[in-house]
Amino acid sequence: MPADILIGTQWGDEGKGKLIDVLTRNVDMVVRFQGGNNAGHTVEIGDQKYVLHLVPSGIFRPGVKCIIGNGVVVDVPGLMAEMKDLTRRGLDVSNIELSDRAQLIFEYHKRADAIGEDGATVKIGTTRRGIGPAYSDKADRCGIRGIELTRPEHLEKLFRAQAAKYNRRFKAIGQPEMDIEQEWARIREAAAYLAPFVRNTVYSVNAMLSAGKNVLCEGAQGGLLDIDHGTYPFVTSSSTVSGGACSGAGIPPREVRDVWGVLKAYTTRVGEGPFPTEQLNATGEALRNVGGEFGATTGRPRRCGWFDAVASGYSCMISGVNKLAVTKLDVLDDLPELKVCVAYELDGKKTTQLPASALDLERVKPVYETLPGWQCSTADARSFEALPVNAQKYLRRLAELVHAEVAIVSVGPRRDQTFEVR
Ligand code: GDP
Ligand code: IMO
Ligand code: MG
């Protein structure tokens, strides 16, 4: 069996966690391939709500192998805390494997992230989890990787050298230095806890594929936050598009079968950066309140607006999305009419292409198409045919605009509030 990849097609928080949980019914392994604990993936099962940051969302299905792949950046005490919390809640974490090649995030990365944000004239609005500095160290070839968790003496040497380097930088700009002893004590404890989970996960993933098992790759963030393709510089620091799964998990491109694109029925964004269809008005507030649009990781209110087919279409194109999972359709239930951005106007010219420059994207005027709402509840619909006709039309139009088929619709946060479209 080949591998499937699931990615967010917008600016994150599309409902990837819920979809991974639903899809792992038929899956043997779930692999996170990029990002870190900047992600917040919510899964609701019965009356229990879980927010996962590094642990793959396949953890709720017994027997499913959960891989934290080589492309991930891992907050060492953060992952320990997350695994301990899941264990306390009765889940079995023994199926987790942590890549020996994954980059590790330490306190100095988080500090550097926060100092960078506080001092920047153009703020990105990061999650302050140290993501940018950790990927910078990786590219600069001075990062520390998962394998070192299994040899504490070497880890200590590398950690102390890096921490001292960061302290010199902090001092030079008048920032307080880190207490290296205190930090090392935290890392030593977490390393001892995590060491038994460290594996060469690339072999684990490829062995699964060779054995004909189903592997599902779990993207974090979304295509518009991609380091190359997103609204740079207002992006995260990893490859969030489907191609990132090949390098971030060690999967040959020829093994990939389906690319699932999770598409929220409207648009949200957390942090700074251009957002052409943002609604700074009662509509935006209604979407935020009805949709519960508050960050799963930082609690920040999410910016809300209409569906943007130019931006999402670009994202679906570069990821080669062939199956759409449209989420949060129910959030639109009460609206009398719905707008969909089908093009931009820039300097008096109409375009359906996403501009490279954030400055240009700030200036575009969305060209809207208006569709009628359905003004009744979709939360109990369990088939496409059971949806109000206007909701069916809305979904068909989104699919047409982004050139992919709707395969799954989600009408509420729970597992059962999902149906396949045949
Ligand atoms: P992720 O980062 O892509 O996994 O998404 P988040 O978990 O950050 O945000 C999605 C939020 O929407 C979570 O609170 C989910 O429980 C919730 N959710 C997911 N699907 C639906 C849906 O179809 N309808 C509603 N109302 N909520 C949903
Ligand atoms: P999930 O996986 C939404 C945003 C931040 C900020 C930018 C850079 O839950 O969809 P970073 O901390 O990565 O350097 O921040 O990216 N961001 C997310 N927004 N969902 C996420 O993850 C995000 N992860 C990062 O708000 O704008
Ligand atoms: Mg999220």
Side-chain angles (χ1 to χ4, degrees):
M1 277 291 176
D4 296 330
I5 302 170
L6 179 140
I7 49 123
T9 60
Q10 293 149 313
W11 280 288
D13 303 328
E14 298 89 351
K16 298 175 294 292
K18 178 192 158 163
L19 258 296
I20 290 280
D21 173 60
V22 167
L23 292 173
T24 42
R25 252 188 334 232
N26 312 312
V27 158
D28 303 291
M29 175 182 266
V30 179
V31 195
R32 267 284 303 269
F33 58 89
Q34 45 70 232
N37 60 351
N38 49 347
H41 295 180
T42 312
V43 179
E44 289 191 25
I45 302 165
D47 61 356
Q48 294 290 306
K49 178 171 169 171
Y50 302 87
V51 180
L52 299 168
H53 302 288
L54 281 160
V55 171
S57 305
I59 194 75
F60 307 102
R61 306 274 184 187
V64 170
K65 279 259 172 228
C66 287
I67 308 285
I68 301 172
N70 56 277
V72 177
V73 282
V74 176
D75 181 309
V76 176
L79 178 57
M80 177 178 74
E82 191 174 333
M83 288 170 64
K84 282 189 171 175
D85 186 49
L86 291 171
T87 307
R88 192 180 51 76
R89 294 180 72 176
L91 287 149
D92 176 14
V93 297
S94 65
N95 269 333
I96 295 177
E97 290 186 13
L98 168 60
S99 169
D100 51 7
R101 288 166 169 79
Q103 295 281 324
L104 303 179
I105 299 186
F106 298 101
E107 183 60 26
Y108 48 77
H109 292 123
K110 290 195 258 185
R111 279 215 196 187
D113 192 354
I115 292 168
E117 278 287 281
D118 290 338
T121 34
V122 180
K123 294 189 197 305
I124 290 163
T126 73
T127 58
R128 298 177 179 240
R129 297 293 192 271
I131 306 298
Y135 278 116
S136 298
D137 277 359
K138 174 182 181 177
D140 204 16
R141 293 147 297 178
C142 60
I144 304 176
R145 307 205 293 178
I147 185 71
E148 311 306 344
L149 296 170
T150 64
R151 35 188 193 205
E153 275 162 35
H154 194 49
L155 174 67
E156 180 172 5
K157 223 163 65 188
L158 294 173
F159 170 79
R160 284 183 185 277
Q162 277 298 101
K165 188 169 95 183
Y166 272 88
N167 263 353
R168 286 194 293 278
R169 287 187 199 162
F170 296 147
K171 193 174 173 190
I173 55 168
Q175 292 287 340
E177 290 174 64
M178 238 178 3
D179 182 336
I180 295 180
E181 293 313 317
Q182 194 183 318
E183 280 313 312
W184 170 244
R186 287 176 69 220
I187 297 304
R188 193 178 44 200
E189 183 201 342
Y193 175 87
L194 294 174
F197 296 93
V198 175
R199 299 275 191 292
N200 188 330
T201 58
V202 172
Y203 284 112
S204 311
V205 172
N206 281 279
M208 272 279 172
L209 291 170
S210 304
K213 307 274 187 188
N214 283 316
V215 174
L216 177 61
C217 301
E218 173 175 0
Q221 290 80 54
L224 302 171
L225 287 170
D226 182 85
I227 183 79
D228 288 276
H229 293 285
T231 50
Y232 194 88
F234 305 97
V235 293
T236 190
S237 305
S238 62
S239 283
T240 61
V241 297
S242 60
C246 292
S247 55
I251 294 176
R254 280 160 55 129
E255 293 285 340
V256 178
R257 177 179 56 184
D258 288 326
V259 179
W260 286 90
V262 188
L263 194 77
K264 200 181 276 192
Y266 50 98
T267 312
T268 61
R269 169 162 212 172
V270 205
E272 305 301 320
F275 180 177
T277 61
E278 182 170 20
Q279 297 299 298
L280 295 164
N281 53 30
T283 303
E285 263 170 45
L287 291 171
R288 181 158 46 248
N289 291 330
V290 178
E293 297 294 357
F294 296 89
T297 294
T298 58
R300 291 179 290 177
R302 295 175 183 151
R303 300 157 65 193
C304 297
W306 297 119
F307 184 77
D308 183 341
V310 179
S312 302
Y314 180 76
S315 185
C316 288
M317 177 178 77
I318 52 182
S319 279
V321 168
N322 64 320
K323 290 188 169 179
L324 291 173
V326 181
T327 59
K328 305 194 98 162
L329 186 70
D330 55 299
V331 177
L332 305 179
D333 283 351
D334 292 334
L335 297 171
E337 56 183 31
L338 306 163
K339 290 191 178 176
V340 172
C341 169
V342 294
Y344 298 147
E345 209 181 280
L346 181 62
D347 297 326
K349 283 197 198 112
K350 207 167 141 178
T351 178
T352 52
Q353 295 194 353
L354 185 71
S357 152
L359 288 177
D360 286 342
L361 197 57
E362 285 286 2
R363 295 189 304 120
V364 301
K365 282 204 203 89
V367 178
Y368 286 115
E369 195 175 278
T370 303
L371 284 89
W374 43 93
Q375 296 194 282
C376 62
S377 173
T378 55
D380 296 323
R382 293 295 177 269
S383 71
F384 189 76
E385 294 68 31
L387 288 172
V389 173
N390 284 348
Q392 297 184 10
K393 282 189 184 153
Y394 184 75
L395 289 175
R396 280 206 193 96
R397 186 66 182 133
L398 299 197
E400 183 178 57
L401 286 165
V402 303
H403 306 291
E405 302 267 308
V406 178
I408 285 186
V409 179
S410 169
V411 289
R414 295 195 319 265
R415 257 182 190 172
D416 64 293
Q417 290 179 301
T418 318
F419 57 83
E420 285 178 35
V421 179
R422 288 164 209 285

